[in-house]
Amino acid sequence: MLITHDTRCALDTVVDLVNTVPEDESAPDGLPDVAALQEFVGTHEISDVGVLTDLDLTAVRGIRGRFAAVFAAPDARTAAGLINDLVAAAGTTPRLTDHDGYDWHIHYFAPGASVADHLTADCGMALAFFVVAGEQERLRRCEAPDCRRAFVDLSRNRSRRYCDSRTCGNRLHVAAYRARRKEAAG
């Protein structure tokens, strides 16, 4: 599957956005305040964003849960319905642009859109491309029992199981190894 640079950036952004959702009531919010949202916007080089406010923070927190539902969708039809609702609410306005040293690419958000509509349009379309390509199953959650982080499986054979093989994957492999050794020692 060919993934353009702007689609890859949007995928990275939506994964990081979904992963700011607190795991449970006791976990801290990954976007606790406007300063954290401003840092998120800067880290992901989200263009054409004005001064952020508490209203922007509330709106972005609202869409991230809806994006999380896409990663949890049991099938392409469900994912498509969720994505359609998201993208329609953002009022997409596809347009070609070449800014900040990047070659021609498509922005799906309307000029002057809020940061929430910007994220919804661009990230929603990136996820839509996966559904259209028949690759919705690549939108996953980590299989580690104590981790439910979202990720996009870009492995050749769709075999990635963990958000990060160096942390979650390695931790589970070491635990399984130790359990086998303990059982063998008897």
Side-chain angles (χ1 to χ4, degrees):
M1 175 174 188
L2 176 65
I3 301 172
T4 62
H5 172 76
D6 51 316
T7 299
R8 179 59 193 257
C9 289
L11 289 171
D12 291 343
T13 300
V14 73
V15 164
D16 288 349
L17 181 63
V18 167
N19 288 333
T20 67
V21 175
E23 288 292 320
D24 57 45
E25 315 267 316
S26 65
D29 192 307
L31 288 177
D33 53 31
V34 174
L37 177 59
Q38 185 65 52
E39 184 178 333
F40 182 88
V41 165
T43 298
H44 292 283
E45 299 179 355
I46 299 169
S47 62
D48 200 21
V49 174
V51 176
L52 299 173
T53 66
D54 285 329
L55 291 173
D56 292 309
L57 179 62
T58 300
V60 170
R61 283 178 174 170
I63 62 165
R64 68 184 180 176
R66 296 177 70 193
F67 277 125
V70 174
F71 281 83
D75 54 51
R77 184 164 306 283
T78 304
L82 294 166
I83 294 167
N84 283 341
D85 290 346
L86 276 161
V87 172
T92 57
T93 308
R95 62 190 165 96
L96 288 168
T97 183
D98 66 339
H99 60 87
D100 299 328
Y102 293 108
D103 206 357
W104 288 104
H105 59 282
I106 300 172
H107 280 186
Y108 295 95
F109 60 94
S114 71
V115 67
D117 284 346
H118 178 141
L119 289 169
T120 301
D122 277 358
C123 295
M125 291 305 299
L127 295 175
F129 294 142
F130 272 74
V131 173
V132 167
E135 301 286 351
Q136 180 262 333
E137 74 276 358
R138 289 182 182 268
L139 308 176
R140 297 194 176 161
R141 291 291 193 154
C142 185
E143 290 183 18
D146 59 341
C147 179
R148 296 301 300 150
R149 292 179 58 86
F151 68 94
V152 178
D153 179 3
L154 296 177
S155 67
R156 213 174 250 223
N157 61 358
R158 298 177 185 94
S159 62
R160 187 171 160 196
R161 298 175 48 207
Y162 308 110
C163 64
D164 186 345
S165 61
R166 291 174 301 226
T167 55
C168 290
N170 191 47
R171 189 176 64 246
L172 288 175
H173 288 108
V174 167
Y177 171 77
R178 287 181 179 158
R180 286 191 307 271
R181 295 272 314 238
K182 185 177 178 181
E183 186 177 309

